[in-house]
Amino acid sequence: MKKLITSILTIVIVMSSISVFAKDYSNYKQKFWDVPKTHWAFEAVSELVDKNVINGYEDGSFKPDRTVNRGEWAKMMVTAANLDISDNTTIHCSDLVNHWSNRYVNAAINYLPSYNDGTYRPDMMITRDVVTASMVRLKGYNIEDVDYSILSQFRDVETIGNYMKAYVAVAVEKGLISGFEDNTFRGQDTLTRAEAATILNRAFQLGDNNIQMDVNNQSSGNNSDIGYDGFKPEPTKKPDKEDNKTNVEDKNNTQNEDKVENNKTNKDDEKDNVKDEIKENKKGYKIETLSKVNITPLNGYLSGSMFYTQGKDDLYYYDNDTHDIVKVNMISRDKEIIENSNTITIEHDGNEYSNMNVRGIFYDNYVDSICIYGSFKYGENLFEQEAGRFHCIIELNTMNVIDSCYSTHYFGDNLKTFDIDDYNFWGTLKNGDYIASSLNNEYSYLLSRSTYKWDGFNNDTPLYVPFQEFNGDLYYSGKHDKYLYKLNDMNERIGDRISELPFYGLVNNKGYVLVNNAINVHKLTGELVKDIPFDNVELTDGNKIKPENVNYILLASSNDDIVFYDTWTNSFRVISEKK
């Protein structure tokens, strides 16, 4: 049997020297055939079952490697802490109407974070950073004067959500949790039932908390931690005695790994979502969390502008919480902060400007630089506040500033003047000209790099992201229909629709289509290169892919890894082929 040895490190919690659970486990009876005394979580699982916090399944198993979702974690935590679950009717989150976990979430509402859209998402897998934050809140630890430097020991600190970092730092400082031997924390990793039992059991052994576990807890009714009250898990075939020498009542404790492996391979058990079986699944692709971040208040889209983009094999994004412009290599996963918009200072016409209000970012292939555009709120020599607002584009590698670039257009008999603040920028052509879309009409425009003059595309469907030049032609996705268009005459500026598929990415001379719960990869000449059904993707980060949560642009690296922003998990995720 393949053991998840690293799971032991997932919840490494420092135990206090005096524990309310201190016990001699040498004579403790084995309760489940799949949690022998040699199992790393045996003590925690046995203790919590003994206290009626968690239960097993009808076949005598515990399923220690099965992942835990957010609703299940709420019930486990509430039951362990003996919180009042009498409130059955209040609906704090819109997706908890008629959901079995509602009263448990109600009881833990002050400890478990919900989402900005008013949902709790009870069926989504719980992550390590969220679990850590909930336990810190439950124990009443103060996060006001947190020392963030303690997180520097983790080389993947970006996997911890920005709002969770304070809680994780406190948890590490208090000895509640630590990371892995490879100096990672893996904040977006999911939690197994064995890991959940361990963190609950050991967390309450630390005595400096406001809430103690009730060691005689009998108050939560049916304490099965899976499903609503009265729910009967789908039974799995109970192991035959000759195949499993370690039945719960077996006093000899002679279970061996070969027999556990045999038990796990019966047909009914194949339905169980355990990590060992996932690893043996012949799925051709895997998905991982690349970076968890709030890219904008509206998840990447604000008045048409974009807050993430691609340059070669690098993903760039603007973190709305920290105001950092961040670069992440999509192949190596290396991450660095390029700049912070609050610290950018420029001079223009005798004024010094700082504290930029970013309206979007794009990559300029002509100068090989990430660019940001927006306005500065403050200047030193202001006569009036509005006059002091300065709109511009900044190339961050040189800090070169491109200012207003005024243009005039007639609307009927009315002549109107536009500047940079009236456009959203998508990127540049090979000659360096900027591609932009007007906020005042449905047209797309070119801004000449040499003259700073605006020139319009007179097409019915506005040019939009993504776009790519290939063999002298310009391919782009329509703003409204996402269909693929080809512009083969830059003078005419009229694009012809060449596909009725929704193209969400155009990069490396390939087009990426999101359709039928799958991603199709096409050559720009039309041939299908590969089909990636979402059901054929191994969920190493525990969260399913839903087409409605894929935000606007699919990116792709030179080794064909696909990156997208997931509005459900607020994170960039990468799909790669399993080697």
Side-chain angles (χ1 to χ4, degrees):
M1 173 182 168
K2 297 180 181 177
K3 285 188 175 181
L4 297 178
I5 300 300
T6 54
S7 294
I8 300 174
L9 297 172
T10 305
I11 311 292
V12 181
I13 307 174
V14 178
M15 300 173 62
S16 58
S17 58
I18 300 177
S19 169
V20 295
F21 291 137
K23 179 180 289 190
D24 178 9
Y25 284 89
S26 60
N27 295 319
Y28 213 79
K29 286 186 177 182
Q30 180 179 332
K31 290 178 168 58
F32 306 107
W33 58 264
D34 56 353
V35 186
K37 286 191 174 183
T38 55
H39 193 283
W40 63 270
F42 172 77
E43 296 181 6
V45 170
S46 300
E47 191 66 65
L48 293 192
V49 170
D50 194 48
K51 305 304 179 190
N52 293 313
V53 173
I54 54 178
N55 286 329
Y57 291 83
E58 290 181 340
D59 68 338
S61 69
F62 180 73
K63 302 187 186 350
D65 296 322
R66 189 169 188 167
T67 51
V68 177
N69 65 36
R70 289 169 56 85
E72 293 162 354
W73 173 253
K75 183 168 186 178
M76 295 171 78
M77 188 175 75
V78 165
T79 308
N82 197 25
L83 300 179
D84 181 12
I85 58 171
S86 59
D87 182 1
N88 295 325
T89 58
T90 302
I91 304 297
H92 291 286
C93 299
S94 60
D95 55 350
L96 291 176
V97 178
N98 298 324
H99 196 277
W100 68 265
S101 68
N102 180 56
R103 61 173 175 171
Y104 299 101
V105 177
N106 284 347
I109 197 68
N110 293 325
Y111 312 113
L112 283 166
S114 56
Y115 288 85
N116 292 333
D117 62 359
T119 63
Y120 177 73
R121 306 177 191 178
D123 298 316
M124 190 171 74
M125 297 300 107
I126 196 83
T127 56
R128 277 171 47 83
D129 60 352
V130 173
V131 166
T132 304
S134 66
M135 294 307 297
V136 168
R137 289 175 174 178
L138 183 65
K139 291 173 69 63
Y141 289 147
N142 184 5
I143 64 167
E144 294 299 321
D145 300 318
V146 60
D147 180 9
Y148 287 96
S149 65
I150 200 169
L151 298 180
S152 62
Q153 62 184 285
F154 303 123
R155 60 184 180 86
D156 64 342
V157 67
E158 71 277 1
T159 67
I160 306 171
N162 287 322
Y163 292 119
M164 307 296 171
K165 288 178 180 176
Y167 296 100
V168 173
V170 169
V172 173
E173 179 186 11
K174 294 287 187 180
L176 180 64
I177 193 170
S178 68
F180 292 77
E181 285 185 336
D182 63 353
N183 296 324
T184 59
F185 184 79
R186 307 181 193 179
Q188 298 308 299
D189 277 12
T190 54
L191 205 70
T192 67
R193 283 166 52 80
E195 293 165 352
T198 303
I199 194 170
L200 283 171
N201 189 49
R202 294 186 181 175
F204 284 92
Q205 290 178 355
L206 292 173
D208 55 343
N209 53 281
N210 293 340
I211 302 177
Q212 296 284 348
M213 178 182 291
D214 183 351
V215 296
N216 295 309
N217 188 349
Q218 301 287 336
S219 64
S220 295
N222 178 1
N223 287 318
S224 173
D225 46 292
I226 301 296
Y228 55 84
D229 287 350
F231 174 73
K232 298 291 186 182
E234 182 176 348
T236 57
K237 182 180 179 182
K238 187 172 183 178
D240 295 329
K241 291 183 178 180
E242 61 268 24
D243 290 331
N244 180 15
K245 300 295 184 181
T246 55
N247 189 279
V248 174
E249 301 300 325
D250 183 8
K251 298 181 180 180
N252 295 323
N253 273 326
T254 57
Q255 180 178 11
N256 59 54
E257 293 182 0
D258 290 337
K259 297 192 183 296
V260 175
E261 185 68 23
N262 289 336
N263 291 331
K264 283 187 175 291
T265 56
N266 75 63
K267 291 183 179 180
D268 290 326
D269 280 345
E270 287 176 359
K271 295 180 181 179
D272 297 333
N273 181 26
V274 297
K275 291 185 179 179
D276 286 346
E277 294 173 76
I278 289 175
K279 288 188 176 181
E280 293 172 355
N281 196 315
K282 295 180 180 179
K283 293 186 176 181
Y285 297 86
K286 63 180 180 179
I287 187 167
E288 303 167 274
T289 298
L290 186 62
S291 185
K292 188 171 180 65
V293 61
N294 176 22
I295 51 177
T296 75
L298 298 179
N299 295 322
Y301 178 81
L302 182 62
S303 299
S305 54
M306 293 304 301
F307 289 80
Y308 68 97
T309 187
Q310 176 177 353
K312 299 178 181 177
D313 282 327
D314 295 316
L315 158 71
Y316 295 87
Y317 62 80
Y318 176 72
D319 187 330
N320 184 65
D321 295 325
T322 65
H323 306 289
D324 290 329
I325 297 94
V326 180
K327 179 175 77 171
V328 182
N329 187 277
M330 293 184 288
I331 297 177
S332 68
R333 313 293 199 258
D334 292 338
K335 178 179 178 181
E336 64 175 301
I337 297 174
I338 302 299
E339 191 62 76
N340 185 287
S341 63
N342 288 342
T343 62
I344 294 176
T345 301
I346 63 171
E347 291 185 4
H348 179 75
D349 289 344
N351 287 325
E352 184 177 279
Y353 295 94
S354 61
N355 194 9
M356 188 179 193
N357 179 26
V358 177
R359 287 195 55 250
I361 70 174
F362 64 92
Y363 194 79
D364 188 338
N365 290 283
Y366 190 76
V367 295
D368 194 22
S369 175
I370 183 67
C371 299
I372 61 175
Y373 64 96
S375 62
F376 285 93
K377 298 178 181 178
Y378 310 110
E380 285 188 352
N381 304 320
L382 303 184
F383 295 99
E384 55 181 308
Q385 185 170 351
E386 185 59 33
R389 297 186 68 86
F390 174 55
H391 308 283
C392 65
I393 301 171
I394 300 177
E395 299 169 356
L396 291 184
N397 66 341
T398 63
M399 296 307 291
N400 182 41
V401 176
I402 301 169
D403 58 25
S404 296
C405 310
Y406 286 103
S407 64
T408 56
H409 298 286
Y410 276 98
F411 286 85
D413 295 329
N414 298 320
L415 183 65
K416 188 170 182 179
T417 301
F418 299 94
D419 67 8
I420 281 179
D421 195 46
D422 294 304
Y423 297 89
N424 288 316
F425 289 84
W426 310 126
T428 60
L429 298 176
K430 291 181 180 178
N431 65 1
D433 289 351
Y434 300 91
I435 289 183
S437 292
S438 172
L439 298 178
N440 299 282
N441 56 51
E442 289 295 321
Y443 292 116
S444 301
Y445 292 87
L446 281 183
L447 171 61
S448 170
R449 197 174 202 93
S450 58
T451 64
Y452 290 156
K453 297 295 184 182
W454 295 97
D455 189 8
F457 286 90
N458 296 315
N459 54 331
D460 294 331
T461 301
L463 184 153
Y464 195 54
V465 284
F467 66 87
Q468 184 177 16
E469 290 178 271
F470 177 64
N471 288 340
D473 300 323
L474 180 64
Y475 295 80
Y476 64 93
S477 178
K479 181 173 183 179
H480 302 301
D481 55 24
K482 304 300 294 183
Y483 295 153
L484 185 63
Y485 290 80
K486 179 181 178 182
L487 186 65
N488 52 23
D489 189 338
M490 293 296 289
N491 293 319
E492 290 293 331
R493 304 290 172 80
I494 298 175
D496 296 322
R497 189 168 74 185
I498 63 174
S499 173
E500 294 189 2
L501 294 173
F503 278 79
Y504 276 61
L506 294 170
V507 63
N508 297 328
N509 303 328
K510 296 185 182 73
Y512 295 82
V513 174
L514 184 66
V515 65
N516 296 331
N517 208 36
I519 294 176
N520 297 155
V521 184
H522 295 259
K523 293 182 180 179
L524 291 183
T525 50
E527 300 91 335
L528 177 65
V529 177
K530 64 179 69 174
D531 175 38
I532 309 175
F534 291 164
D535 290 340
N536 197 32
V537 178
E538 177 184 308
L539 305 175
T540 60
D541 63 2
N543 297 299
K544 292 183 178 180
I545 316 170
K546 297 182 179 179
E548 62 269 25
N549 299 324
V550 176
N551 189 66
Y552 285 93
I553 304 177
L554 294 172
L555 311 178
S557 63
S558 58
N559 67 352
D560 293 330
D561 288 352
I562 300 171
V563 173
F564 66 95
Y565 187 76
D566 189 337
T567 60
W568 180 260
T569 61
N570 288 333
S571 61
F572 287 100
R573 305 174 72 192
V574 55
I575 302 173
S576 58
E577 192 167 357
K578 294 175 67 176
K579 305 301 182 182

